């Protein structure tokens, strides 16, 4: 059901506390009556986890996390009455008991099911929560699955509804998640609105809002209000009111890359009393082609290239939301319009969906199922999973950002890769039960059985959705991004992405902590730093191992640049108008720990080189160059916005010193949500071996530089192509930097006489608005530093330059 935000201004409140916490040996205390002999109580925050409380007390650290699952964890507080109250627990990890005044009132065996208790309280009441040892539960003998994943241990996790975070060596820190990680609220039970069911839909240009309100104690008149209109709800049975409000011409919700994510407040009046029902967005989400041909989404009838990243909790210790808003803002700033929540993590808090609604970011939500052979034939397991899905869809009922509901992560792939036949890995729950549950509660969602899935093998690149690591973990050439004919990459492009210089944590390969931050597949002989090193060697003609040993600073410099180039090149292929690819989600948005993790943001939320590359690659108005061999270069111009764009396209081919071999310019008018492709030959009007494919003579250019400008001459997008292979040599390129003032504050004008590749702006105390970019010979670029009062101290270098230019002031 939709969330009732407030009734006459009253909102559910968190118990005032204070809370305290203690740990005991498993089973040492049968109930709260045994706690009087327990010592070592410490203050605790709720919502929160035992790890966060222990860390605050100086008894635990994430750098050397001690196990918590091998203990029972108790929380205590006092509640104020008197009267009948409703206690709601949004997330209890995992084997939880709830006690009031020493009496057990509820037991929960799922981290993902919200729980509600109604009770009559006296003037004061003791509330105790016990989280029984998960390790003791996992050590019990249990029926083994038909297959056993290597990346997650132990195998008995398949029977328990808990997050797999902390159980994936090499993928995330081994931090035990225990405690009331979701909000706990207390409210008086009184007559009035008890439940709301809201269904927002878009029928052409008319929004339709269907509502059902349950009113305890009944009501004489109930009115639904939205978008400046209202409609009475009829009582269809005692206490249940139903009706629909039509809203012609309502402004629809769009992903931010394609329009404005309009949201509309919804309220009701119950016998004149105001009830806040939150906000809704009117939109449709549908398949733009059959799933078997490659997943492709259309929003409001418009095909959308979905690009973004895999979402993980910003705070792995406390599972709090302190940094959530900043991480989501970074995702939008990078041009991401979709985030996928994988089945290895946990369902995000409702606030995450509220923020994605506001920011115009689509959400792909996996069920919390990953890799295991889950016991769907066990009635208890099946019941918990069904309640879990229902509760999730209820609380996100009005979220227009939620667009894809998926049956889990790599369950089908895991079994298929181990040789199981389709009859084994294509489980009935994902194929039939899940679509039925979604149709009853969120018929507006696209349901995907598993990620990946869709073809004869669930991991085939063309059909359905795939986890594409051809470019990446499998170390295929960059051309494989096109050759694979990817339909939709719901996970892709994983590298050990080095953090920026000066970031807290291990500084580089010479730091003994460095290796611990490198993601790896359990049992594999390689890790994701080896993957990055492969592309450093491929792109720049160096020996990464020798460089790592002899010049670790240069090693990381080229590693950051290589990741950026691979990201831009891959999405250039995938976004071109003739590409079959309809989406790509990078693994992942954020690191879970210090070091060179998968994240395009580091563990503090600071952008890495990949983030800057994706910010360029994901522009709604975009220009990209692809190498078409004997057909020269193709220039792809995209306009995903809802406005006509008048643009000028320029193409220059020149040598590293700026001597021009050919130049052309053309005015373009792009319709909304359209794209076009021009060949270099068509643009130049004559033959030139732009892709260095014919090789009839010496190559006369070192770079192809394309630029897209608006009517005011401002650069909208740029793209570069470097023909030929060979090592990156350092030389003097005439790199300069000077302070300037921009509309966003202090800025830096960077200029170069010769071609400057992979220009890196190193500013430990601030974030530039662009980085790891190329500069064509004789050009300049102004870099802004939003939020800075004056130009911070830093330096500029390029990977093909022996110059380092310092600038700025100390903070």
């Amino acid at each position: 059901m939709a969330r009732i935000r407030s009734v006459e201004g009253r909102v559910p409140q968190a118990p005032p506390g204070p809370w305290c916490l203690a740990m005991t040996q498993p089973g040492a205390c049968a109930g709260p009556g045994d706690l009087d002999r327990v010592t070592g109580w410490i203050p605790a925050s709720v919502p929160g986890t035992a790890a966060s409380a222990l860390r605050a007390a100086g008894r635990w650290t994430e750098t050397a996390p001690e196990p918590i699952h091998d203990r029972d964890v108790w929380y205590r507080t006092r509640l104020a009455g008197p009267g009948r109250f409703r206690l709601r627990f949004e997330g209890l990890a995992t084997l939880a008991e709830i006690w009031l005044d020493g009496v057990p009132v509820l037991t929960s065996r799922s981290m993902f099911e919200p729980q509600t208790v109604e009770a009559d309280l006296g003037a004061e009441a003791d509330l105790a929560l016990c989280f029984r040892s998960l390790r003791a539960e996992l050590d019990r003998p249990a029926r083994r699955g038909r297959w056993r994943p290597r990346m997650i241990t132990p195998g008995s996790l398949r029977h328990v509804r808990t997050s797999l975070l902390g159980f994936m060596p090499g993928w995330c820190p081994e931090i035990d998640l225990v405690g009331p990680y979701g909000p706990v609220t207390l409210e008086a039970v009184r007559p009035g609105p008890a439940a709301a069911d809201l269904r927002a839909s878009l029928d052409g240009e008319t929004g339709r809002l269907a509502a059902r309100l349950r009113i305890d104690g009944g009501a004489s008149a109930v009115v639904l209000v939205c978008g400046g209109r209202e409609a009475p709800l009829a009582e269809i049975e005692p206490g249940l009111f139903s009706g629909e409000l039509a809203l012609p011409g309502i402004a629809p919700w769009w992903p931010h890359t394609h329009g404005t994510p309009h949201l509309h407040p919804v309220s009701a009046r119950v016998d004149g009393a105001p009830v806040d029902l939150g906000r809704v967005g009117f939109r449709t989400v549908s398949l733009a082609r059959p799933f078997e041909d490659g997943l492709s989404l259309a929003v409001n009838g418009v095909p959308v290239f979905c690009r973004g990243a895999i979402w993980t909790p910003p705070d792995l210790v406390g599972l709090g939301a302190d940094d959530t808003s900043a991480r989501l803002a970074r995702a939008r700033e990078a041009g991401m319009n979709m985030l996928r929540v994988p089945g290895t993590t946990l369902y995000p808090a409702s606030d995450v969906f509220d923020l994605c609604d506001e920011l115009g970011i689509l959400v792909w939500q996996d069920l919390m199922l990953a890799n295991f052979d889950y016991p769907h034939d066990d009635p208890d397991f099946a019941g918990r999973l069904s309640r879990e899905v229902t509760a999730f869809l209820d609380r996100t009922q009005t979220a227009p950002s939620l667009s894809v509901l998926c049956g889990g992560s790599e369950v089908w792939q895991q079994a298929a890769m181990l040789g199981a036949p389709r009859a084994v890995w294509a489980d009935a729950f994902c194929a039939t039960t899940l679509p039925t549950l979604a149709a009853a509660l969120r018929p507006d969602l696209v349901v995907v059985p598993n990620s990946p899935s869709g073809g004869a093998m669930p991991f085939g690149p063309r059909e359905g959705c795939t986890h594409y690591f051809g470019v990446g973990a499998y170390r295929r050439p960059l051309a494989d991004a096109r050759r694979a004919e990817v339909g939709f990459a719901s996970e892709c492009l994983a590298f050990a992405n080095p953090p920026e210089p000066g970031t807290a944590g291990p500084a580089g390969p010479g730091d003994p902590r460095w290796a611990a931050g490198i993601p790896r597949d359990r049992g594999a002989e390689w890790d994701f730093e080896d993957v990055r090193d492969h592309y450093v060697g491929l792109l720049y003609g160096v020996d990464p191992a020798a460089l790592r040993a002899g010049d670790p600073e240069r090693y990381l410099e080229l590693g950051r640049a290589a990741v950026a180039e691979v990201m831009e090149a891959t999405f250039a292929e995938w976004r071109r108008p003739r590409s079959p690819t309809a989406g790509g989600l990078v693994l992942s948005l954020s690191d879970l720990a210090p070091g060179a993790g998968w994240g395009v943001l580091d563990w503090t939320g600071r952008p890495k080189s990949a983030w800057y590359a994706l910010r360029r690659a994901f522009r709604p108005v975009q220009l990209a160059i692809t190498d078409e061999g004997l057909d020269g270069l193709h220039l792809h111009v995209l306009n995903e916005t809802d406005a006509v764009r008048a643009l000028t396209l320029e193409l220059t081919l020149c040598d590293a010193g700026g001597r021009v071999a050919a130049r052309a310019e053309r005015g373009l008018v792009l319709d909304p949500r359209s794209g076009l492709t021009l060949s270099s030959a068509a643009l130049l009007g004559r033959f030139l071996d732009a892709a260095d494919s014919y090789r009839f003579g010496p190559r006369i250019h070192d770079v192809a530089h394309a630029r897209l400008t608006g009517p005011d001459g401002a650069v909208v997008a740029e793209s570069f192509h470097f023909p030929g292979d060979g090592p990156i040599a350092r030389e003097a390129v005439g790199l300069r930097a000077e302070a300037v003032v921009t509309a966003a504050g202090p800025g830096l004008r960077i200029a170069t006489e010769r071609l400057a590749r992979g220009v890196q702006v190193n500013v430990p105390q601030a974030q530039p608005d662009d980085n790891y970019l190329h500069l064509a010979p004789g050009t300049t670029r102004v870099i802004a530093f939003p939020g800075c009062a004056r130009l911070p101290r830093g330096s500029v270098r390029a990977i093909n330059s022996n110059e380092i230019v310092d600038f700025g002031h100390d903070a």
Side-chain angles (χ1 to χ4, degrees):
M1 308 300 247
R3 286 179 289 162
I4 298 176
R5 307 298 178 109
S6 68
V7 179
E8 296 187 88
R10 298 188 306 271
V11 298
Q13 298 292 320
W19 291 83
C20 58
L21 171 153
M23 297 197 301
T24 69
Q25 291 299 317
C29 296
D34 299 329
L35 294 177
D36 291 341
R37 65 175 183 268
V38 174
T39 59
W41 290 89
I42 60 173
S45 296
V46 175
T49 65
S52 61
L54 291 166
R55 180 176 62 181
R59 292 169 49 181
W60 185 94
T61 173
E62 60 262 55
T63 57
E66 295 184 4
I68 301 174
H69 285 320
D70 60 353
R71 305 291 185 91
D72 287 351
V73 178
W74 288 86
Y75 283 75
R76 292 196 305 190
T77 192
R78 292 187 66 77
L79 305 177
R84 187 160 184 82
F85 285 82
R86 181 180 297 114
L87 265 170
R88 184 168 176 85
F89 303 87
E90 297 291 347
L92 299 169
T94 293
L95 306 177
E97 300 167 0
I98 301 170
W99 302 70
L100 275 173
D101 287 331
V103 177
V105 294
L106 189 143
T107 299
S108 174
R109 295 183 60 82
S110 171
M111 181 176 177
F112 308 125
E113 280 186 64
Q115 302 290 349
T116 301
V117 176
E118 288 191 9
D120 294 311
L121 304 182
E124 285 191 322
D126 289 318
L127 173 63
L129 310 179
C130 179
F131 298 90
R132 297 296 182 182
S133 167
L134 185 59
R135 176 56 57 190
E137 177 71 14
L138 294 175
D139 288 344
R140 298 180 193 277
R143 183 165 58 112
R144 295 187 64 174
R146 292 165 293 179
W147 66 87
R148 193 168 189 173
R150 177 178 285 184
M151 65 173 272
I152 309 167
T153 184
S156 51
L157 280 163
R158 77 188 193 98
H159 296 282
V160 182
R161 299 306 300 137
T162 194
S163 175
L164 300 180
L165 291 169
F167 294 101
M168 297 179 287
W171 284 49
C172 72
E174 296 183 41
I175 294 173
D176 292 349
L177 305 180
V178 181
Y181 72 94
V184 177
T185 57
L186 180 69
E187 61 179 332
V189 177
R190 54 169 58 92
D197 184 321
L198 296 178
R199 310 286 178 99
S201 60
L202 188 63
D203 181 8
E205 296 184 355
T206 298
R208 300 192 183 279
L209 183 61
R212 292 162 66 94
L213 268 66
R214 173 73 64 182
I215 312 293
D216 287 348
S220 299
V222 179
V223 178
L224 180 66
V225 182
C226 180
R229 295 172 179 261
E230 58 183 56
L233 302 185
E235 190 170 16
I236 59 174
E237 63 180 58
L240 181 62
F241 293 79
S242 179
E244 182 178 283
L245 180 60
L247 298 161
I250 195 75
W253 186 94
W254 288 96
H256 74 94
T257 50
H258 287 66
T260 302
H262 292 286
L263 294 172
H264 305 274
V266 181
S267 62
R269 293 195 303 273
V270 178
D271 291 338
V275 180
D276 183 357
L277 298 175
R279 297 180 297 181
V280 297
F282 296 93
R283 59 102 181 100
T284 64
V285 178
S286 58
L287 292 177
R289 63 190 178 199
F291 182 68
E292 294 74 16
D293 293 342
L295 175 65
S296 179
L297 298 183
V299 178
N300 303 330
V302 175
V304 170
F305 184 90
C306 299
R307 67 281 201 158
I310 306 302
W311 173 263
T312 53
D315 175 16
L316 192 57
V317 175
L319 300 181
D322 292 347
D323 201 32
T324 297
S325 178
R327 301 288 170 102
L328 291 174
R330 288 284 192 221
R332 174 173 168 146
E333 188 181 353
M336 298 182 185
N337 62 14
M338 176 176 273
L339 296 171
R340 174 174 160 248
V341 183
T344 52
T345 58
L346 69 160
Y347 300 98
S350 298
D351 290 349
V352 173
F353 290 94
D354 290 344
L355 288 166
C356 288
D357 292 345
E358 294 176 11
L359 294 171
I361 298 174
L362 298 164
V363 177
W364 169 313
Q365 178 69 60
D366 283 2
L367 302 190
M368 293 303 109
L369 303 169
N371 294 79
F372 283 113
D373 176 20
Y374 288 97
H376 293 293
D377 57 348
D378 177 354
D380 287 342
F381 180 91
R384 288 192 192 98
L385 183 57
S386 179
R387 292 192 298 272
E388 169 188 316
V389 174
T390 299
F392 169 74
L393 293 176
D394 271 350
R395 72 175 171 88
T396 57
Q397 188 183 46
T398 59
S401 57
L402 181 61
S403 53
V404 176
L405 184 67
C406 177
S409 174
E410 296 190 349
V411 176
W412 290 15
Q413 171 179 288
Q414 182 76 75
M417 282 191 164
L418 292 174
R422 186 180 188 90
V424 170
W425 50 258
D427 63 89
F429 175 83
C430 292
T432 59
T433 306
L434 181 60
T436 301
L437 288 172
L441 296 164
R442 286 293 303 262
D444 59 314
L445 302 181
V446 168
V447 179
V448 172
N450 222 263
S451 181
S453 63
M457 289 288 104
F459 45 83
R462 297 174 180 83
E463 303 89 358
C465 59
T466 188
H467 290 186
Y468 173 75
F469 296 107
V471 174
Y474 303 136
R475 290 178 258 194
R476 301 284 296 163
L478 297 186
D480 191 72
R482 177 183 295 197
R483 185 180 299 121
E485 296 183 335
V486 172
F488 190 110
S490 47
E491 198 169 295
C492 63
L493 296 176
F495 300 92
N497 295 318
E500 290 294 279
T503 301
D511 191 314
R513 301 170 296 167
W514 181 258
I518 304 297
R520 58 185 52 80
D521 283 337
R522 190 170 178 228
E525 296 180 353
W526 54 271
D527 60 28
F528 283 84
E529 186 158 65
D530 295 325
V531 174
R532 187 190 71 233
D533 287 352
H534 170 78
Y535 290 97
V536 169
L538 182 71
L539 291 172
Y540 305 133
V542 298
D543 179 351
L547 204 57
R548 176 187 173 114
D551 190 348
E553 183 179 3
R554 175 69 167 170
Y555 169 76
L556 291 177
E557 178 185 80
L558 292 182
R560 296 182 183 104
V563 167
E565 291 215 36
V566 172
M567 294 280 184
E568 288 198 77
T570 301
F571 279 99
E573 289 287 0
W574 287 352
R575 290 190 67 194
R576 58 192 171 82
R578 294 182 182 177
S579 168
T581 309
L585 307 178
V586 171
L587 179 66
S588 62
L589 180 64
S590 305
D591 285 345
L592 293 171
W598 284 319
V600 302
L601 302 174
D602 69 24
W603 69 293
T604 70
R606 185 181 182 188
K608 303 186 200 177
S609 65
W611 183 89
Y612 291 101
L614 294 177
R615 188 172 187 240
R616 292 188 292 269
F618 289 170
R619 289 176 288 222
V621 180
Q622 175 65 325
L623 169 64
I625 298 176
T626 58
D627 185 335
E628 303 298 327
L630 298 182
D631 200 28
L633 301 178
H634 281 191
L635 286 76
H636 311 283
V637 187
L638 306 173
N639 175 25
E640 293 180 328
T641 72
D642 56 1
V644 175
R645 296 298 299 261
L647 302 163
T648 299
L649 174 62
E650 305 170 23
L651 174 63
T652 302
L653 294 94
C654 64
D655 67 13
R659 185 175 58 185
V660 174
R663 176 176 288 156
E665 179 179 306
R666 181 176 296 188
L668 305 173
V669 177
L670 263 66
D671 291 333
R673 299 171 184 133
S674 66
L676 62 85
T677 297
L678 293 169
S679 69
S680 53
L683 196 58
L684 295 172
R686 66 180 180 86
F687 172 75
L688 189 143
D689 191 6
D692 192 32
S693 296
Y694 292 89
R695 302 184 182 181
F696 294 146
R699 189 179 67 242
I700 60 174
H701 71 286
D702 298 310
V703 59
H705 171 220
R707 185 167 63 175
L708 203 61
T709 57
D712 59 355
V715 176
V716 175
E718 287 182 293
S719 188
F720 291 80
H721 176 263
F722 304 106
D725 302 314
I728 294 288
R730 285 172 162 172
E731 60 181 358
V733 300
L735 202 61
R736 302 185 304 278
E738 62 175 337
V740 295
V741 177
T742 75
L748 184 73
R749 179 182 288 113
I750 304 172
T752 185
E753 295 174 7
R754 298 174 60 82
L755 172 65
R757 292 185 61 176
V759 176
Q760 302 180 13
V761 183
N762 179 18
V763 190
Q765 304 302 321
Q767 182 205 331
D769 68 352
D770 201 2
N771 211 340
Y772 301 93
L773 62 147
H774 305 306
L775 284 178
T779 63
T780 64
R781 178 68 186 274
V782 174
I783 303 295
F785 297 88
C788 291
R790 62 177 184 167
L791 186 65
R793 182 172 294 279
S795 62
V796 177
R797 63 173 62 187
I799 62 172
N800 64 328
S801 170
N802 55 20
E803 303 146 311
I804 300 177
V805 181
D806 296 322
F807 63 85
H809 307 274
D810 291 323

